[in-house]
Amino acid sequence: MKMKIGIFFGGTSKEREISFAGGRTVYDNLNKSLFEAIPIFVDSFGNFVLLDWKNVYKGSIRDFYPPSDLVPPSKGVFQVYAENLGPLTIKQQEGLINKIGTKIDPSGLSALMDFAFLCLHGSNGEDGRIQGLLEYLNIPYSGSGILPSSIGMNKAVQKELMVNAGFASPAFLGIDRNSWKERDNDQRIFEKVKKEIGFPLVIKPANQGSSIGVSVLYNADLQEFKSVVEKAFFTRILSAKEWKEKSTEQKNEYVRTLSDIREGLGMPVRVQSSKSKVYSTEDKVQKTIYHPDKLLEYFDEAFKKEEVLILESLDGESTVLAEGFIEGKEFSCIVLQDEKGIPIALPPTEIRKGKELFDYRSKYLPGLSRKITPIDLPSGKIQEIRKECERLFKALHFDVYARIDGFVGKEGKIFLNDPNTTSGMMPSSFFFHQAAEIGLNPSRFLTYIIRTSLAQRIIASNNSGRFDALLETLDQAIQQDQKATAERIKVAVLFGGYSSERHISVESGRNIYEKLASSSKYEPIPVFLTGNEQEHKMYKVPINLLLKDNADDIKEKIEKYQVHEVIQEIIGECSTITQKYSSAESLATPQKLDYNELKKMVDCVFIALHGRPGEDGAVQEQLDRVGLPYNGSGVESSRITIDKYRTNELLKENGFLVAGHLLVREEEWQEDPAKVMATINSVIKYPFIAKPVDDGCSSAVRKIKTPAEFQAFAKLIFRKKEELDLPASELLHIKAKEEFPMKKVMLAEELITKRDAKHFLEITGGMLTKYDKAGNLSYEVFEASEALSEGEVLSLEEKFLAGQGQNITPARYSPDPMERQKISEKVKQTFEAAAKLLNIRGYTRIDAFVRIYTADKIEVIFIEVNSLPGMTPATCIFHQSAINGYKPYDFIDKILDFAFARKKLELANLA
């Protein structure tokens, strides 16, 4: 009988989206032979919800809670959470909950689970409260107990305990919220900070994670100091002058940022209007505003008579920490507890970036920062970091595991800060990244955490015998599972590539690997592809390379492969862990492969590549040559769909609607830019969309509004070297470290608009193909997702960064359910007809716009067809397949089943 694991995720904090994504990671990666996952969603009101599993695979909490049919129409594309609907009664909250799952009274939790895996962050998650509740209910749980959790949550308390225990610390000062609010106290506090700490310095909330509310202040500027302290208290001061100078678009953007739980205050907010520009108890009127639209309206009305508004988050901060900025190397280190209770620090990871903060975007979007493991320092210094982290683990009475961050100053001094009893559990997090260095894949590492936590709870309960039988049963199941590995189907997961989409390919490949690794049917083998169009270089890689942050890092590690002497020592220290939970193959040296050697090694290939090669038929051609089954469409279909121009031309020739488009070649542009621009102006018109003809994932897609912007786009995409032209980048708002490919051809495409339609939306829809018993092909087309963009086009973050974008599945074609379904069927029929024309096999994702005039008159305008859609954890295709009853693993399993069936049919036809 499988052990029931209740996964607690979501929560009330500003980190709830990361918690939600981490909970999904755990839900998917639990060994399916050992465990049954029970999703316990904690909503923003603190309710426990047994979540319908389909909602686990939404991209963000906002995609399902509050349910889309209960969200009022919004003037702006704002983040809307359940608490933004107003001060809801218990009964109203239950009405929301009943649409997504079942509300569970805390007393009923023990009937649902044998063990609680905690993925909650912030208040009520890391501060000992949930741990205390579970202790009371006699439910064993993951991670540290009550006392260390409460210590680990409060940065100000941590600092005092750490200094008292002899740990090095930069100068620091706690700023109390009530003291800060006192009239003219900001000047006094500023002077004190300047004298006792100096500049540069770091300002951060005492009880937040994920770099939320953190700022670095380089100059002793009072106004800037006040601004960043207000930010850390989740407070803002806005003047009538500032507001009135903003355009309508800028006002929307201000409110959008303000209401964002990661960048701004979040909602609801308390608004205090005052005639003075400082906090005052005199003549003030406080109003609580719940919805961003209402806040937008309130600003316009209030600033007709008010000079200043003071805004405070209801989920604010009581203490802000000011501490000296440390110039040096930044690192993060996971500390584990072995089965004897001894803490072992894993290899500390250096966080390499520019001068910018290691912020939310850098932490969670692949390719934006580099994680160097171990930190680039002499071995003696790395060991010194480890020993300090182990010492802090014991000093703060942590158990099971912890994540400890720190810096090595220019003089070599080690400063530890922000010890966390709960680590982020995104696929690329330090938690999994460092465990991979000792050979543990995520599924095995989670098993280790559960087993170690269970043993720790036995110790904490004074060996009362409550959990002994559970531990004994788990140990027996782990042994049996290890013996069953040899019988599984071997699948090469092919990822990486050499296009601008290579980092997203790593995310897709890692996700496929992890889904298969937790199954009882498959044994995935990670295979990294690099090289160029003339030569595909493939390598079977160990698990630690698969868990590196991005494709460039993996490539570099393969080319210069060595096992650092410190890591070798750590592997030895962890031998009792790895012998029980891992295998020798997990740490094998990268092995270069050709397609013939790949054939001898595996039964099937899952191509997780994006762009070229992979979607262009080049890999498929080689796999056909050696006779290996693979996912997705065949060679000819892939060669068509990789080319957006060719795809849409074929669709147009066969009566489908597509955006008007024009190819722009580099030689044409270089010869006569004015002629090209004149042609575009006469055929396409401004504004239009410019993008590569054969890259996806929103790579270099821009809305072009002026000739100057088009000239900037052409300069970037037709450049001859990697460096981007700075003025062109600034004009097109290219973000730091954003990939912008170099191409010889680009596509200018008509901007699709609503025209005179009643309703207009952007959608993305997936499908799955099957064979019946007679070998006939059929298409299972899923409900499409409605994509909401905060900018001019869907960004990379909105597509792939957890909690960033918003996709409503199924798409809201109409508020009337019957009419909505009627329109949906028409869209699905159109998608299926296009897929048949393009000879799509296996699965696909189609992006389009839909104009709705009436239920009987709609227009579907195709944008692109993806033969190997992104398979990152939060991608839309998993939301869609869930509606049809497929968990992500089930969906991947069906894709592989089709690959084997297709190969069998091909062989039968040849015979």
Side-chain angles (χ1 to χ4, degrees):
M1 189 173 173
K2 295 179 183 178
M3 188 171 165
K4 292 182 179 179
I5 308 295
I7 301 166
F8 288 71
F9 61 136
T12 60
S13 81
K14 295 179 187 297
E15 300 174 80
R16 71 188 76 157
E17 290 289 7
I18 288 303
S19 169
F20 178 70
R24 176 173 53 231
T25 304
V26 175
Y27 185 83
D28 272 345
N29 282 281
L30 286 180
N31 187 318
K32 294 174 177 61
S33 300
L34 306 177
F35 306 115
E36 179 186 348
I38 311 294
I40 305 295
F41 173 64
V42 183
D43 74 4
S44 46
F45 305 108
N47 297 303
F48 295 105
V49 182
L50 176 59
L51 194 64
D52 180 340
W53 69 263
K54 296 179 179 65
N55 292 316
V56 173
Y57 299 106
K58 300 294 188 181
S60 73
I61 293 169
R62 293 168 294 124
D63 286 351
F64 68 92
Y65 194 69
S68 60
D69 59 339
L70 297 181
V71 178
S74 175
K75 295 174 184 175
V77 185
F78 298 126
Q79 287 194 358
V80 176
Y81 289 94
E83 65 270 24
N84 302 150
L85 300 184
L88 303 182
T89 65
I90 297 297
K91 188 172 182 180
Q92 287 172 321
Q93 291 174 32
E94 288 174 350
L96 298 179
I97 289 168
N98 290 338
K99 291 193 168 231
I100 65 166
T102 305
K103 184 178 177 180
I104 304 296
D105 187 88
S107 63
L109 291 171
S110 55
L112 291 174
M113 66 194 70
D114 302 308
F115 181 92
F117 201 108
L118 301 178
C119 298
L120 297 167
H121 296 294
S123 59
N124 300 312
E126 294 181 77
D127 57 3
R129 296 181 197 180
I130 186 73
Q131 291 83 358
L133 173 64
L134 294 168
E135 294 260 5
Y136 177 76
L137 296 172
N138 287 327
I139 300 173
Y141 55 86
S142 62
S144 286
I146 300 170
L147 176 61
S149 295
S150 60
I151 292 170
M153 180 67 188
N154 191 307
K155 295 179 179 67
V157 171
Q158 285 172 8
K159 281 286 182 188
E160 293 178 12
L161 291 173
M162 289 166 66
V163 169
N164 291 338
F167 291 92
S169 172
F172 68 92
L173 187 70
I175 302 172
D176 177 76
R177 184 183 185 87
N178 291 328
S179 175
W180 176 256
K181 279 186 172 186
E182 291 176 15
R183 184 184 293 274
D184 299 327
N185 224 14
D186 47 17
Q187 176 76 50
R188 184 186 65 80
I189 292 171
F190 172 71
E191 294 300 332
K192 186 177 182 182
V193 165
K194 188 164 63 170
K195 180 181 177 182
E196 296 185 13
I197 299 176
F199 290 81
L201 57 75
V202 179
I203 300 290
K204 58 187 175 184
N207 295 284
Q208 298 291 331
S210 296
S211 298
I212 291 171
V214 180
S215 302
V216 177
L217 195 56
Y218 290 95
N219 302 308
D221 180 278
L222 175 60
Q223 291 308 314
E224 195 175 354
F225 176 76
K226 288 165 64 175
S227 176
V228 297
V229 172
E230 295 287 351
K231 175 184 173 184
F233 275 126
F234 300 101
T235 303
R236 298 289 187 276
I237 298 174
L238 180 64
S239 70
K241 182 176 183 295
E242 288 176 273
W243 182 251
K244 290 173 181 177
E245 286 177 351
K246 295 180 188 294
S247 65
T248 300
E249 187 176 317
Q250 288 171 331
K251 287 178 179 179
N252 278 326
E253 183 57 33
Y254 181 85
V255 172
R256 184 178 297 123
T257 303
L258 193 76
S259 61
D260 190 312
I261 61 172
R262 298 146 306 174
E263 297 180 65
L265 304 183
M267 301 287 287
V269 294
R270 186 179 293 113
V271 183
Q272 175 182 314
S273 51
S274 172
K275 298 299 179 185
S276 67
K277 292 189 179 182
V278 296
Y279 288 95
S280 172
T281 56
E282 302 169 11
D283 303 321
K284 70 177 183 182
V285 178
Q286 290 190 347
K287 180 179 178 64
T288 300
I289 300 176
Y290 292 84
H291 197 284
D293 273 329
K294 296 296 181 185
L295 186 62
L296 191 65
E297 292 171 9
Y298 182 84
F299 284 157
D300 282 333
E301 190 60 33
F303 282 129
K304 291 177 182 177
K305 54 185 178 180
E306 297 291 342
E307 294 178 15
V308 172
L309 292 176
I310 300 169
L311 312 162
E312 298 179 275
S313 170
L314 264 61
D315 178 25
E317 184 62 60
S318 59
T319 305
V320 163
L321 205 61
E323 64 180 24
F325 179 80
I326 302 165
E327 188 74 41
K329 290 180 180 287
E330 185 176 357
F331 66 84
S332 188
C333 184
I334 300 292
V335 181
L336 301 180
Q337 181 178 295
D338 71 8
E339 292 189 359
K340 294 180 181 178
I342 299 169
I344 302 174
L346 295 181
T349 298
E350 179 181 348
I351 303 157
R352 192 171 291 178
K353 57 192 190 310
K355 282 195 170 182
E356 71 278 5
L357 271 174
F358 186 49
D359 61 7
Y360 188 96
R361 183 172 178 262
S362 298
K363 278 187 175 183
Y364 302 116
L365 190 66
L368 294 190
S369 62
R370 298 291 298 275
K371 293 175 181 172
I372 311 299
T373 307
I375 187 171
D376 185 16
L377 287 170
S379 295
K381 182 57 70 174
I382 298 172
Q383 295 290 30
E384 192 181 335
I385 292 170
R386 293 185 63 229
K387 295 308 173 191
E388 279 292 274
C389 290
E390 290 168 357
R391 186 166 78 89
L392 183 57
F393 187 93
K394 287 190 271 190
L396 296 181
H397 304 283
F398 289 174
D399 48 58
V400 185
Y401 75 94
R403 194 194 84 230
I404 297 172
D405 300 336
F407 293 86
V408 179
K410 283 187 172 182
E411 306 301 319
K413 199 170 186 179
I414 297 168
F415 299 88
L416 301 183
N417 69 325
D418 294 355
N420 291 270
T421 54
T422 298
S423 173
M425 294 188 187
M426 297 279 281
S428 60
S429 68
F430 297 112
F431 185 73
F432 296 121
H433 178 92
Q434 292 177 20
E437 294 294 343
I438 62 169
L440 293 180
N441 69 27
S443 182
R444 291 167 175 163
F445 189 36
L446 292 172
T447 300
Y448 162 77
I449 292 294
I450 292 168
R451 200 269 174 203
T452 307
S453 297
L454 188 53
Q456 185 62 36
R457 299 290 86 81
I458 290 173
I459 294 169
S461 65
N462 297 316
N463 295 305
S464 62
R466 283 197 306 240
F467 310 129
D468 293 51
L470 197 59
L471 183 62
E472 185 179 345
T473 302
L474 178 58
D475 281 341
Q476 290 172 357
I478 290 170
Q479 289 178 359
Q480 292 169 1
D481 185 61
Q482 289 283 59
K483 295 174 184 176
T485 304
E487 303 166 8
R488 293 170 183 162
I489 298 168
K490 291 181 171 58
V491 180
V493 180
L494 198 58
F495 66 102
Y498 39 78
S499 78
S500 61
E501 302 170 69
R502 63 194 181 280
H503 302 312
I504 296 300
S505 170
V506 170
E507 283 283 288
S508 288
R510 183 159 50 215
N511 188 44
I512 296 297
Y513 172 89
E514 290 172 357
K515 299 290 190 292
L516 298 179
S518 65
S519 77
S520 56
K521 180 177 178 180
Y522 298 103
E523 181 189 346
I525 296 168
V527 178
F528 180 76
L529 186 146
T530 183
N532 51 47
E533 290 184 15
Q534 286 70 47
E535 181 187 11
H536 295 171
K537 296 179 181 179
M538 294 187 297
Y539 300 86
K540 176 187 174 185
V541 295
I543 186 66
N544 63 321
L545 294 198
L546 173 65
L547 270 289
K548 294 299 178 190
D549 230 25
N550 59 64
D552 296 343
D553 200 8
I554 295 171
K555 182 182 177 184
E556 179 185 305
K557 289 292 185 293
I558 290 171
E559 292 171 347
K560 303 174 182 177
Y561 189 76
Q562 59 178 350
V563 180
H564 196 283
E565 61 180 357
V566 171
I567 293 180
Q568 287 178 328
E569 187 171 331
I570 295 170
I571 291 169
E573 291 175 23
C574 295
S575 59
T576 57
I577 298 172
T578 54
Q579 285 168 12
K580 184 169 184 176
Y581 298 95
S582 189
S583 65
E585 281 291 296
S586 298
L587 290 171
T589 301
Q591 177 185 349
K592 191 171 184 181
L593 302 169
D594 60 27
Y595 285 98
N596 291 314
E597 290 165 331
L598 187 66
K599 165 68 174 174
K600 295 173 186 176
M601 184 182 291
V602 301
D603 304 303
C604 183
V605 175
F606 197 106
I607 309 169
L609 299 165
H610 303 310
R612 297 179 189 270
E615 291 190 78
D616 60 353
V619 169
Q620 291 85 344
E621 187 173 25
Q622 295 299 324
L623 295 175
D624 281 342
R625 180 179 60 79
V626 298
L628 267 174
Y630 56 85
N631 58 305
S633 294
V635 176
E636 291 307 316
S637 178
S638 299
R639 283 175 178 165
I640 293 170
T641 55
I642 185 69
D643 187 326
K644 297 181 182 72
Y645 181 83
R646 189 178 169 195
T647 299
N648 284 358
E649 282 293 296
L650 181 59
L651 289 169
K652 184 170 68 174
E653 288 167 10
N654 286 273
F656 294 93
L657 297 177
V658 300
H661 57 192
L662 196 67
L663 280 180
V664 179
R665 303 184 189 279
E666 182 184 7
E667 58 267 26
E668 297 170 344
W669 175 258
Q670 301 297 353
E671 184 179 331
D672 194 345
K675 182 180 179 183
V676 172
M677 292 173 70
T679 303
I680 285 175
N681 198 34
S682 63
V683 176
I684 305 292
K685 309 289 185 188
Y686 288 93
F688 64 89
I689 300 295
K691 59 186 176 183
V693 75
D694 58 357
D695 275 359
C697 297
S698 294
S699 176
V701 178
R702 285 293 184 277
K703 180 180 177 181
I704 303 297
K705 300 181 285 295
T706 66
E709 287 183 348
F710 184 60
Q711 288 173 320
F713 189 92
K715 179 176 283 188
L716 293 180
I717 204 161
F718 292 145
R719 72 192 189 280
K720 298 298 183 185
K721 56 184 181 179
E722 283 295 333
E723 294 77 16
L724 298 180
D725 178 82
L726 186 58
S729 299
E730 290 177 348
L731 184 60
L732 295 176
H733 307 292
I734 306 295
K735 294 176 182 174
K737 301 180 185 177
E738 181 179 340
E739 287 281 340
F740 204 101
M742 292 183 287
K743 298 287 183 180
K744 293 187 178 298
V745 184
M746 68 168 163
L747 193 63
E749 188 175 80
E750 172 196 3
L751 179 69
I752 304 300
T753 58
K754 183 179 181 179
R755 292 187 180 173
D756 58 342
K758 181 176 69 174
H759 189 40
F760 175 67
L761 63 166
E762 182 177 357
I763 64 168
T764 179
M767 64 184 71
L768 187 65
T769 65
K770 302 174 182 179
Y771 290 115
D772 63 19
K773 291 180 181 179
N776 299 310
L777 186 72
S778 64
Y779 290 78
E780 182 180 2
V781 185
F782 302 143
E783 287 286 351
S785 300
E786 177 183 349
L788 302 180
S789 170
E790 291 187 356
E792 294 174 331
V793 295
L794 273 174
S795 67
L796 186 70
E797 291 91 330
E798 287 174 314
K799 282 190 173 184
F800 299 108
L801 178 53
Q804 185 75 26
Q806 188 170 9
N807 296 280
I808 307 299
T809 311
R812 300 171 296 184
Y813 299 118
S814 170
D816 178 76
M818 291 184 66
E819 186 175 88
R820 195 218 73 82
Q821 197 56 40
K822 186 176 182 180
I823 295 168
S824 175
E825 292 306 318
K826 288 180 180 293
V827 172
K828 287 198 260 185
Q829 288 165 14
T830 307
F831 276 13
E832 181 175 344
K836 287 178 177 176
L837 172 68
L838 297 167
N839 202 24
I840 293 294
R841 295 291 185 271
Y843 64 121
T844 192
R845 192 192 83 228
I846 297 175
D847 297 336
F849 287 96
V850 181
R851 293 192 190 107
I852 300 165
Y853 299 91
T854 66
D856 296 312
K857 183 187 176 185
I858 67 165
E859 293 177 345
V860 179
I861 304 99
F862 287 81
I863 302 301
E864 61 181 275
V865 177
N866 296 271
S867 62
L868 292 174
M871 298 290 269
T872 61
T875 193
C876 287
I877 204 162
F878 290 137
H879 317 174
Q880 298 159 13
S881 61
I883 291 177
N884 284 30
Y886 303 114
K887 291 182 178 178
Y889 166 75
D890 301 323
F891 181 55
I892 295 163
D893 185 39
K894 290 293 182 187
I895 291 168
L896 290 173
D897 280 349
F898 180 85
F900 282 112
R902 176 173 57 187
K903 180 56 65 179
K904 187 177 179 180
L905 275 174
E906 287 171 359
L907 293 173
N909 290 335
L910 285 173

